[in-house]
Amino acid sequence: EDQVTQSPEALRLQEGESSSLNCSYTVSGLRGLFWYRQDPGKGPEFLFTLYSAGEEKEKERLKATLTKKESFLHITAPKPEDSATYLCALRWRNAGNMLTFGGGTRLMVKP
Amino acid sequence: SQTIHQWPATLVQPVGSPLSLECTVEGTSNPNLYWYRQAAGRGLQLLFYSVGIGQISSEVPQNLSASRPQDRQFILSSKKLLLSDSGFYLCAWSHGSGRAVEQYFGPGTRLTVT
């Protein structure tokens, strides 16, 4: 059973059309949730870390939120340059510094 | 600031040939180091991680191996490549301790086994 699930797998938006990406998890003992952006053919770029339910982080058009069972990455008025795959990853209590990654959401923003 | 390098950027190798991918980190000491593989359109699969020189933990049994000969150098190797070894290989580092354990990734190596 997958421990980290991202949805949707792919999302097409028009420029300026706000939406949210979801990252849900099934295991307790969360020590941190991380969001990354990955452009094609490149390594993931770190965006945010969230540690506890209720926490929020913002960067430009992106806002990440965390509840006890899921995290959302809200994209406000996206631009074509926001097109990328967004990955979430979790650190569990008994996993040391290792992260478990979700499958990612491929975001395409059309002008 | 910290920088992570990987080489080569791309590699095409025949089945049965050996492999050596290198990763180096600059600007930090005693990092944790990680090797991941990413299949096309998929998430990241952790292959190996290291908390120090000569200390390697394997997450997935396979024909790959890893070594850490120096504090900021991490090498991924194989004696004989399989077709299934094709993929995008990513090296990452994180601080060795403390709350800030975000992993920072290198540019990756695209490996095609023919």
Side-chain angles (χ1 to χ4, degrees):
Chain A
E1 180 182 352
D2 289 343
Q3 295 178 317
V4 185
T5 303
Q6 289 190 248
S7 62
E9 289 188 7
L11 180 63
R12 292 176 181 266
L13 298 175
Q14 288 296 129
E15 184 173 1
E17 179 186 3
S18 301
S19 188
S20 298
L21 313 182
N22 177 265
C23 173
S24 62
Y25 52 95
T26 57
V27 180
S28 60
L30 181 70
R31 294 288 300 278
L33 186 143
F34 308 85
W35 282 99
Y36 289 85
R37 170 192 170 125
Q38 185 175 23
D39 292 302
K42 297 187 177 181
E45 173 190 351
F46 170 72
L47 292 174
F48 305 110
T49 304
L50 301 167
Y51 288 107
S52 56
E55 189 174 0
E56 299 181 351
K57 294 277 181 71
E58 287 189 67
K59 180 180 180 179
E60 297 180 351
R61 296 177 292 281
L62 300 177
K63 179 180 178 180
T65 62
L66 180 65
T67 70
K68 287 188 177 181
K69 288 298 179 184
E70 59 189 349
S71 176
F72 291 94
L73 184 65
H74 306 278
I75 304 177
T76 302
K79 298 181 178 181
E81 52 262 41
D82 294 322
S83 298
T85 296
Y86 291 86
L87 299 167
C88 75
L90 280 74
R91 180 190 180 202
W92 307 117
R93 180 187 296 136
N94 297 321
N97 287 347
M98 290 187 291
L99 303 181
T100 300
F101 280 83
T105 293
R106 188 162 63 96
L107 174 67
M108 295 154 282
V109 182
K110 296 197 170 184
Chain B
S1 62
Q2 300 86 2
T3 308
I4 180 169
H5 304 279
Q6 286 186 246
W7 64 90
T10 60
L11 190 60
V12 180
Q13 293 283 92
V15 169
S17 64
L19 173 73
S20 181
L21 304 181
E22 190 166 343
C23 170
T24 58
V25 181
E26 297 177 352
T28 187
S29 298
N30 305 314
N32 288 347
L33 296 173
Y34 310 83
W35 277 113
Y36 289 87
R37 177 169 58 202
Q38 186 175 35
R42 302 290 298 277
L44 278 68
Q45 178 188 35
L46 180 64
L47 301 175
F48 301 93
Y49 70 94
S50 172
V51 299
I53 295 174
Q55 301 179 63
I56 309 294
S57 296
S58 174
E59 289 299 301
V60 181
Q62 60 215 327
N63 69 319
L64 299 173
S65 62
S67 62
R68 184 170 177 173
Q70 301 180 38
D71 181 47
R72 290 170 288 178
Q73 184 184 30
F74 206 21
I75 297 172
L76 183 68
S77 304
S78 174
K79 292 183 179 179
K80 290 185 178 182
L81 283 168
L82 307 173
L83 284 174
S84 58
D85 291 324
S86 293
F88 192 47
Y89 288 81
L90 290 157
C91 181
W93 75 272
S94 70
H95 290 289
S97 62
R99 193 187 195 198
V101 287
E102 300 89 7
Q103 293 182 14
Y104 298 93
F105 288 83
T109 295
R110 173 73 59 190
L111 172 66
T112 303
V113 182
T114 60

